[in-house]
Amino acid sequence: MRVRRRARRRTLAQRDARVGLALVSPTFVIVVAMVVLPVLWTVVLAFKDLPLSGIRDVNLVAGPYTLDNFTHVLQSVELRRSILTTLEYSVFGTAASIGLGLAAALVVGRPFRGRGVVRAAMLIPYVAPVVGAALVWQVMLSPQFGIVNAAGKNVLGWDRPIPFLSQRTGDLHLLGVTLPVPTALVVVICFEAWRSFPFAFLFIVARMQALPAEYDEAARVDGATPLQRFRYIVLPQLAAVIALLAVLRFIWTFNRFEEVYLLTGGGGGTDVVSVQVYQFLTARNDVGGSAALTLVMAASLAIALGIYLLFTFSRERRTA
Amino acid sequence: VTRRRWTRERVETAGLRVARVAGIVFFLGITVFPFYYMVLLSLRTTQDLLGHPGSIFVSLSHLDLDSYARVLKPTGEGGEGFLRFLLNSALVCTGTVALTIAIALPGAYAVSRLPFFGKRTVHFLFLAIYIFPTILLAIPLFVFFTRLGLRGSIAPLIIVYISQTLPVSIYMLRNYLDAVPRSIEEAALVDGCGRIGVILRISLPLVRPALIATALYVFMIAWNEYLFALLFLVEERSSWTVSLGVSQLSGIEVPTTALMAASVILTIPILVIFFFTERYLVAGLTAGGAKG
């Protein structure tokens, strides 16, 4: 009886704190068990010599520890090339997706008949399953019966089909100049831009709708032309959201696996780090090596982000 | 007769009008055409495709549904067994949605309303999930479930999907709960209703739209997911999801038309759901829960 009476005397705030903890604990348990601990465990695995075949009987936490995975990963030539490829993929993929998203936002910026449908259509590449999207791209780009090569042959007069997904370098003839183009890498970048521009589009549209009309009207009264109003009135107000998008998209593009793996399998000069991690794990059966590689990957991402943030902050201070 | 002067303003306005129309055509082309092409190829015969690779129409007399029959039939009858995969995906998705909502709703309520120890840690955890590469997480989870001998069954997949979709679910539900006035709940509390009673009788009915949006969004993520399905299930064909089935199909000798039929089976349900519930889904998309 005594215990019960004391429980009654607890204040509302105290009771709420208990209820709150109880309500949030399932979430907490799952996130800790399925995210936090695994991440920490990856660090342990990275220091162990661990072939995939052995994981059923080996002690997965205790020593012996070794640095071999890291020396092996860091010394390989593939890694350097792969990180460079990933950086190219991320930088150009990010820029292209934001550029497309901005263009899309400007296109549906003003009302017209059927705008709702067009706006919904813009989101299709983002919501469609990546497996289906990659497959239809593969078919469209196929040298035998793909629509792109068929059109290239019939309309543009190509004498040979282009193997878009396996060609490491192709020659682009432009105005009498021949430029080498990393074909497959360009294709996976285009795929990334196509898949993710709707994300940038949504963010930019939301920001544009919130822009105050006064500045634009004032500029109009002052005789600024449409392009000038975009350059000097709209764009500066979008700078913040574009900077945010650049960070988010860079992180996510850097970590991409499915898009590249499904489209090229990492071939033709598109061996981004995440695909290499997967190869380490499944083809080479090297758990420790793949764990070490993901840590190197996370570290390079952190460094790239650090450089970016340093660069933007110092520029902001200069303009301020 | 007034002579129109070619001012910069007028040239730019006219140019931009043309550019806008061109832009609409361009964007409709790149977003809709690939999926139109997918459906088109799934309805053609292989001979027709090889004979006319550049054609983007199919005459009604050449319509051919054999690809779908082939893909859907069980392997025993010479098909690819996609009915089974559809069932697996449905199971994975409904399981993930039901459990995620059941866990996320109380969590979101706590984060929105109640003071509790460690409230700030929650935000940090969510940020971590956003930033870490999925492949980094995939390695230890792969090792863990292999060790337990659970690879090949869909239960671990559901657990992983829950952990991946919880943060965005809580984020979406919390945003909505924050907008529900507290005074209604306080009135119920004063009238003698307990906290749990308040949640069940007052808050739950009020957040129904957000629940629908979150459920749809989680369904979409689970349906589309590929990496974990590949790692956990690839050796056990009877457990494959539709995504995994389609990707594995492309590795073997299957006609392109059947491949496209399988892609349509994978893609169309999501696009249909999306077009009917676009308003709901956009909230989730901007929360960025699909990790890009």
Side-chain angles (χ1 to χ4, degrees), chain B residues 134-186:
Chain B
T134 319
I135 190 107
L136 192 152
L137 221 52
I139 296 170
L141 292 175
F142 176 78
V143 172
F144 179 65
F145 286 115
T146 308
R147 180 73 180 241
L148 292 182
L150 284 173
R151 248 173 61 210
S153 68
I154 60 178
L157 199 64
I158 294 180
I159 297 174
V160 171
Y161 286 176
I162 294 170
S163 71
Q164 292 281 304
T165 50
L166 261 183
V168 72
S169 304
I170 290 191
Y171 177 82
M172 284 171 74
L173 290 171
R174 196 201 73 170
N175 275 355
Y176 201 88
L177 274 168
D178 281 346
V180 173
R182 282 162 188 247
S183 49
I184 308 175
E185 294 183 357
E186 277 155 14

Side-chain angles (χ1 to χ4, degrees), chain A residues 70-85:
Chain A
F70 286 98
T71 48
H72 182 72
V73 162
L74 288 172
Q75 275 170 358
S76 75
V77 188
E78 294 148 50
L79 176 78
R80 251 163 268 161
R81 203 191 51 213
S82 169
I83 286 186
L84 201 68
T85 309

